[in-house]
């Protein structure tokens, strides 16, 4: 089979998966998680009497992005989307439609992963940028424009990039969990605990958590707690390739598992 | 056609499949040539397991399977040559007949126009063109069955595996689909049809493989089966708009030994010793009396007894 045919097959899997995600409950759950920080920002701003300054808005968003988005809504949004990519089709008894086509299972898996990445990165990237702009808008239009012109726009793009990288990396984690165990929620909760406790760990152990690499890329960092052991942010040449390599390794594992996946809904 | 032995056959070599401690099939050895082969056995006998093994949906615990010399773990080559109409009923959410078929065909790497052309041809062959724009969720059981069949035959594979393909079809559709299978076999294809209804397979197959409790208990040519089956009444479930009138007609023609009308007045359970004539009369009722038939489902709960009868007869003879 030629490379062109495989690419067309990959495109077909991506299109089918996008359709499935938009129509299924995974898509709705991801949309809910992506919109949650934006809605909270609206509620928070509505409840305040005094407007935020641009500087405080920047710090407020840094806190929201670090604690609410990265370790909350994005994490669980990705769990719903990626954890159900294969598992969800097993439960819905539709997986065989993909596996009875003359396409390699690895191509099916990759297509599904790319579609889920596109959906989650778009949703969380857009809502992160929207939340940033919304908080900043509380300082007034002139102050907001001045802040954006003085590096704010670049920082907003950086947040979108971190959200995209987080979707790719956490997505690979949950895809692998979904291939490894029947219910990926339990290992995902354990991994969430590990990521959440990362700020308490000494420098060497911090590197065993994805969150450490992602936070190193955020333009503004706020301490998680007075107990936090603050380490130096990792350089970009470490904090980008390491999550990507980790992602590639997990995708390789998921591909190995999907080749061995059996479809027998009767014994599910 | 085949250059090397086994490349024109579906081959199971000492194949066993266990689901944990539960036996799926055990030590099955089969070589299936082109033509129509009936895979017959009661529910849970291992028919679907054999088909799933041949298509790689499940993996054998022991033994080796190949389809035209292709192992099931090579989907690119296997499904270029093989189509599988499963008994799994679910379809992707929100799909219409067209979008489902085009989606399945696009996975082959076909362009949109080519996929649409193939889909159209397949829908026409199974008589589903008019309903193809509607959502599959609103299809009847028979329409879903025909759509699955369309997906299996659309790419014109050399091998067709059909798991209970007549389930839920109305009499007209049954006749059309049986003709379709005969035509496909006449083109030199392998058509493997599973069923728990001996009569269905007897009408269709060149050869029959009897499966029971995970073992192949008999195999061979199918002629002669019909007379033996006639000895036992066959049960058929018919859902239609006027079951009372249908029952009266069937009794008047002496085609049924017993009929039970459903309480909701939308169906009946008939027992017949002459299934051929029974189905013919059902077709006539549809055409001449305008009977609206929703589904026709064989409901032969005595099928195990028939197998025992046949197998004992064969061993005795």
């Amino acid at each position: 089979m030629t490379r062109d045919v495989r690419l067309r097959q990959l495109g077909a899997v991506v299109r089918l998966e996008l359709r499935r995600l938009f129509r299924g409950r995974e898509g709705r759950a991801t949309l809910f998680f992506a919109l949650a920080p934006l809605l909270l920002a609206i509620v928070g701003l509505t409840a305040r009497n005094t407007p935020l300054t641009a500087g405080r808005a920047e710090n407020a968003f840094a806190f929201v992005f670090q604690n609410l988005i990265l370790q909350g809504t994005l994490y669980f949004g990705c769990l719903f989307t990626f954890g159900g990519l294969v598992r969800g089709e097993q439960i819905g008894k539709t997986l065989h439609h993909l596996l009875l086509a003359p396409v390699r299972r690895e191509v099916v898996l990759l297509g599904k992963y790319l579609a889920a990445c596109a959906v989650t990165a778009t949703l969380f990237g857009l809502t992160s940028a929207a939340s940033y702009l919304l908080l900043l808008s509380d300082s007034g239009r002139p102050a907001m424009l001045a802040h954006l012109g003085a590096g704010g726009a670049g920082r907003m793009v950086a947040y979108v990039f971190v959200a995209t990288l987080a979707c790719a990396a956490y997505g690979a984690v949950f895809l692998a969990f979904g291939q490894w165990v029947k219910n990926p929620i339990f290992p995902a909760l354990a991994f969430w605990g590990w990521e959440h406790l990362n700020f308490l760990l000494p420098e060497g152990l911090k590197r065993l958590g994805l969150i450490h690499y992602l936070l190193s890329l955020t333009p503004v960092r706020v301490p998680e707690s007075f107990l936090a052991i603050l380490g130096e942010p990792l350089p970009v040449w470490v904090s980008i390739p390491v999550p990507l390599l980790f992602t590639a390794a997990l995708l390789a594992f998921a591909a190995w598992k999907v080749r061995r996946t059996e479809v027998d809904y009767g014994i599910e | 056609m085949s250059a090397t032995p086994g490349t024109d056959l579906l081959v199971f070599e000492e194949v066993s499949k266990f689901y944990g401690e539960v036996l799926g099939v055990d030590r099955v050895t089969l070589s299936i040539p082109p033509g129509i082969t009936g895979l017959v056995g009661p529910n849970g006998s291992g028919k679907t397991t054999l088909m799933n093994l041949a298509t790689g949906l499940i993996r054998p615990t022991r033994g080796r399977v190949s389809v035209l010399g292709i192992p099931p773990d090579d989907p690119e080559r296997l499904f270029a040559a093989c189509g599988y109409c499963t008994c799994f009923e679910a379809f992707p959410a929100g799909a219409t007949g067209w979008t489902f078929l085009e989606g399945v065909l696009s996975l082959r790497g076909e362009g949109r126009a080519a996929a649409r052309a193939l889909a159209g041809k397949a829908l026409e062959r199974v008589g589903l063109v008019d309903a193809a724009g509607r959502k599959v969720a609103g299809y009847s059981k028979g329409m879903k069955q025909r759509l699955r069949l369309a997906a299996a035959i659309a790419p014109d594979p050399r091998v067709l595996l059909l798991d209970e393909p007549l389930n839920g079809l109305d009499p007209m559709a049954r006749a059309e689909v049986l003709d379709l299978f005969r035509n496909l076999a006449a083109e030199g294809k392998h058509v493997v049809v599973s069923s728990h209804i001996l009569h269905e397979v007897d009408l269709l197959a060149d050869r029959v493989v009897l499966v029971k409790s995970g073992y192949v208990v008999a195999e061979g040519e199918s002629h002669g089966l019909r007379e033996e089956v006639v000895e036992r009444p066959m049960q058929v479930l018919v859902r239609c708009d006027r079951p009372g009138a249908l029952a009266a007609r069937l009794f008047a023609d002496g085609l049924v030994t017993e009929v039970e009308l459903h309480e909701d007045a939308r169906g009946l359970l008939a027992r017949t010793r002459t299934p051929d004539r029974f189905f013919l009369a059902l077709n006539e009722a549809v055409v001449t009396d305008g009977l609206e038939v929703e589904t026709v489902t064989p409901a032969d709960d005595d099928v195990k007894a028939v197998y025992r009868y046949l197998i004992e007869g064969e061993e005795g003879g």
Side-chain angles (χ1 to χ4, degrees):
Chain A
M1 204 159 275
T2 66
R3 196 166 144 263
D4 278 356
V5 173
R6 285 211 180 106
L7 281 175
R8 281 204 298 275
Q9 290 179 326
L10 185 65
V13 177
V14 170
R15 281 194 300 278
L16 289 175
E17 188 59 29
L18 285 174
R19 205 180 289 167
R20 190 183 77 88
L21 287 173
F22 281 120
R23 284 175 178 163
R25 65 190 175 95
E26 290 97 338
R28 287 193 290 276
T30 310
L31 184 64
F32 166 77
F33 279 115
L35 288 175
L38 195 59
L39 296 176
L40 281 177
I42 291 169
V43 171
L45 289 177
T46 311
R48 279 181 66 87
N49 294 324
T50 51
L52 287 171
T53 62
R56 288 195 68 187
E58 181 81 49
N59 282 335
F61 179 76
F63 181 83
V64 166
F65 186 79
Q66 191 172 314
N67 295 296
L68 184 64
I69 296 179
L70 269 189
Q71 299 188 70
T73 58
L74 184 147
Y75 187 92
F76 288 102
C78 285
L79 170 60
F80 269 90
T81 308
F82 290 88
L85 282 181
V86 177
R87 196 81 221 143
E89 293 229 48
Q90 285 262 33
I91 293 165
K93 301 185 177 182
T94 51
L95 186 60
H96 63 283
H97 294 305
L98 296 171
L99 302 189
L100 294 177
V103 50
R104 289 170 68 157
R105 289 187 175 190
E106 297 90 326
V107 174
V108 171
L109 189 88
L110 184 62
K112 281 176 153 287
Y113 172 77
L114 291 177
C117 276
V119 169
T120 51
T122 303
L123 284 176
F124 286 103
L126 280 177
T127 53
S128 294
S131 304
Y132 182 81
L133 291 174
L134 184 72
L135 287 172
L136 213 52
S137 70
D138 201 44
S139 62
R141 188 178 162 80
M144 180 174 87
L145 291 176
H147 190 81
L148 287 172
R155 285 191 291 277
M156 185 177 73
V157 171
Y159 282 120
V160 172
F161 174 76
V162 176
T164 303
L165 185 63
C167 288
Y170 283 130
V173 170
F174 301 134
L175 180 63
F177 282 167
Q179 291 290 92
W180 175 41
V181 290
K182 277 194 172 181
N183 191 344
I185 287 178
F186 298 110
L189 284 174
F191 189 63
W192 183 70
W194 172 253
E195 291 282 88
H196 232 70
L197 293 176
N198 188 273
F199 71 91
L200 287 172
L201 301 174
E203 184 68 24
L205 285 178
K206 275 184 193 294
R207 293 187 176 220
L208 295 179
L210 264 178
I211 193 71
H212 184 54
Y213 299 90
L214 297 171
L215 290 180
S216 294
L217 291 167
T218 52
V220 177
R221 282 197 70 178
V222 288
E224 292 89 343
S225 149
F226 68 92
L227 291 172
I229 300 170
L230 289 175
E232 283 297 307
L234 296 165
V236 172
W237 61 268
V238 174
S239 48
I240 293 177
V242 169
L244 289 178
L245 285 172
F246 182 62
T247 298
L250 288 168
L251 287 179
F253 168 76
W256 175 76
K257 286 292 284 182
V258 83
R259 277 183 69 88
R260 283 150 187 79
T261 295
E262 295 200 359
V263 177
D264 196 319
Y265 308 128
I267 57 164
E268 283 295 302
Chain B
M1 265 308 265
S2 62
T4 52
T7 54
D8 201 26
L9 300 170
L10 270 78
V11 178
F12 292 82
E13 290 175 62
E14 282 289 309
V15 173
S16 299
K17 174 67 185 175
F18 290 86
Y19 302 101
E21 290 181 358
V22 179
L23 170 70
V25 293
D26 197 17
R27 286 173 287 163
V28 170
T29 297
L30 282 173
S31 289
I32 301 177
I36 304 181
T37 301
L39 206 54
V40 190
N43 290 329
S45 58
K47 305 183 298 293
T48 300
T49 295
L50 285 175
M51 292 201 167
N52 288 350
L53 283 165
T55 50
L57 288 184
I58 55 175
R59 297 153 66 83
T61 311
R62 274 196 305 268
R64 202 173 70 86
V65 185
S66 67
V67 177
L68 310 183
I70 307 164
D73 58 4
D74 185 355
E76 284 184 337
R77 286 172 61 216
L78 178 69
F79 296 112
C82 175
Y84 181 20
C85 174
T86 67
C87 60
F88 306 133
E89 294 195 353
F91 286 88
T96 66
W98 275 114
T99 59
F100 168 71
L101 263 190
E102 283 176 16
V104 166
L105 290 165
S106 67
L107 291 171
R108 308 180 70 82
E110 305 282 0
R112 196 164 284 184
R116 194 163 181 84
L118 281 177
K121 203 173 149 191
L123 287 166
E124 206 169 308
R125 285 191 95 170
V126 300
L128 208 59
V129 175
D130 292 342
R134 281 164 43 197
K135 293 233 167 123
V136 179
Y139 280 14
S140 68
K141 196 175 173 185
M143 289 162 84
K144 286 181 183 171
Q145 184 72 289
R146 280 190 278 166
L147 185 59
R148 280 196 293 273
L149 195 55
I153 65 170
D156 196 25
R158 284 173 63 199
V159 177
L160 268 169
L161 301 174
L162 309 162
D163 196 359
E164 304 271 1
L166 301 177
N167 264 6
L169 296 183
D170 62 46
M172 299 292 276
R174 282 173 104 81
E176 286 166 13
V177 166
L178 289 175
D179 272 347
L180 174 65
F181 295 163
R182 287 190 192 101
N183 291 338
L184 291 166
E187 291 168 16
K189 298 182 194 304
H190 290 73
V191 182
V192 182
V193 183
S194 84
S195 176
H196 61 284
I197 310 300
L198 283 164
H199 167 73
E200 270 180 6
V201 174
D202 182 47
L203 282 176
L204 190 67
D206 305 319
R207 61 197 302 276
V208 171
V209 177
L210 287 178
V211 190
K212 191 184 168 198
S213 305
Y215 294 91
V216 171
V217 288
E219 59 173 311
E221 304 297 316
S222 72
H223 56 257
L225 210 56
R226 182 181 310 218
E227 289 73 21
E228 292 174 273
V229 176
V230 163
E231 297 297 313
R232 291 174 183 278
M234 176 184 177
Q235 297 188 101
V236 186
L237 193 68
V238 182
R239 298 286 293 169
C240 61
D241 63 338
R242 282 170 286 140
L246 177 64
R249 181 183 176 134
L250 294 169
F251 269 121
D253 293 346
L255 298 175
V256 286
T257 56
E258 194 179 343
V259 169
E260 289 171 26
L261 293 175
H262 292 174
E263 281 181 6
D264 65 357
R266 297 285 301 170
L268 57 83
L269 178 70
R271 293 189 178 82
T272 175
R273 287 184 187 278
T274 52
D276 283 356
R277 290 178 55 210
F278 174 89
F279 286 117
L280 202 61
L282 202 53
N283 284 352
E284 281 171 9
V286 171
V287 174
T288 59
D289 301 348
L291 185 77
E292 285 186 20
V293 176
E294 190 187 322
T295 57
V296 178
T297 314
D300 207 338
D301 55 9
D302 198 29
V303 72
K304 285 182 186 173
V306 178
Y307 296 131
R308 196 160 48 242
Y309 168 76
L310 284 171
I311 295 155
E312 281 167 5
E314 191 170 270
E315 284 166 354

